[in-house]
Every structure is written in structure tokens, then in C-alpha cells.
């Protein structure tokens, strides 16, 4: 269940998740989201938290005024697994609701 993805599988996952990039030699994927207001960013983070709880997979979150950065990895697998990319796509869907 906690199988770490191969480099090729990570490439495929990145192709399906626009805007996400590899960090730390492929250990993490990360994306920055920009918002019209601080409170929109906070609303997004609240939705990210809801999704993370539903998936039982939690991102690292950084809030810098109107910019929210999410970073994902799977500690149990020692790197990225499919759940990281599933989470990323869910967060992107949530972000679509905040864009104006």
C-alpha cells in the first residue's frame, strides 16, 4: 500500500498535475497558489485541511500573505507515492473554486 513510485511513475504523475514541481531530488512535489486576498488563501487552506483529513494524507503548508505553498511526500514510503499525486489533483480542484 505504501509503495514508493519509480522515477518514471513520478514523471507520469507530474504530467497529470500541472503546476507541481519536484523538490529535493524528487523527494517532494510542491506548488504555489496565489489568491486575491489573504482570507481567500486561508479559506483554501481550510479546504486543503478537510481534503487532507479525508485522505489521511497531510501536506506541509506555508502561508505568505496571499501565497500558499503546499509540499507533499510520503514518509512511510520514503518518497513519493500515488497518494501524493491524488492529493495534489484534489488540491488543484479546490483551488479552481477560489480563482476569480
Amino acid at each position: 500500500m505504501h509503495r514508493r513510485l519509480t522515477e518514471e511513475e513520478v514523471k507520469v504523475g507530474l504530467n497529470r498535475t500541472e503546476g507541481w514541481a519536484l523538490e529535493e531530488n524528487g523527494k517532494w512535489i510542491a506548488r504555489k497558489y496565489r489568491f486575491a486576498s489573504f482570507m481567500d488563501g486561508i479559506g483554501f487552506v481550510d479546504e486543503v485541511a478537510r481534503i487532507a483529513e479525508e485522505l489521511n494524507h497531510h501536506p506541509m503548508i506555508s502561508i505568505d500573505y496571499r501565497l500558499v505553498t503546499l509540499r507533499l511526500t510520503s514518509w512511510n514510503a520514503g518518497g513519493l507515492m500515488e497518494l501524493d499525486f491524488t492529493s495534489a489533483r484534489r488540491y488543484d480542484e479546490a483551488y479552481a473554486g477560489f480563482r476569480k
Side-chain angles (χ1 to χ4, degrees):
M1 178 176 176
H2 296 292
R3 186 182 67 80
R4 184 173 154 179
L5 298 177
T6 65
E7 285 184 35
E8 187 59 36
E9 290 170 321
V10 169
K11 287 178 188 175
V12 170
L14 281 173
N15 286 336
R16 295 186 334 214
T17 52
E18 185 177 333
W20 289 80
L22 286 176
E23 290 188 346
E24 293 185 30
N25 295 322
K27 182 177 178 181
W28 298 82
I29 55 172
R31 180 168 180 190
K32 295 179 185 304
Y33 298 90
R34 187 166 302 281
F35 295 89
S37 71
F38 175 74
M39 290 309 295
D40 283 346
I42 296 301
F44 173 71
V45 168
D46 188 49
E47 182 63 12
V48 165
R50 187 193 65 72
I51 293 166
E53 283 292 298
E54 176 185 318
L55 297 174
N56 193 29
H57 191 61
H58 304 86
M60 301 295 281
I61 303 170
S62 174
I63 304 168
D64 299 297
Y65 183 44
R66 296 183 303 147
L67 184 69
V68 173
T69 304
L70 300 181
R71 295 174 70 224
L72 293 162
T73 195
S74 294
W75 302 109
N76 293 336
L80 295 168
M81 42 186 239
E82 185 56 40
L83 185 54
D84 295 299
F85 290 100
T86 299
S87 299
R89 287 188 294 277
R90 292 283 305 274
Y91 301 146
D92 289 348
E93 290 169 6
Y95 179 62
F98 285 89
R99 284 192 269 176
K100 302 205 184 328

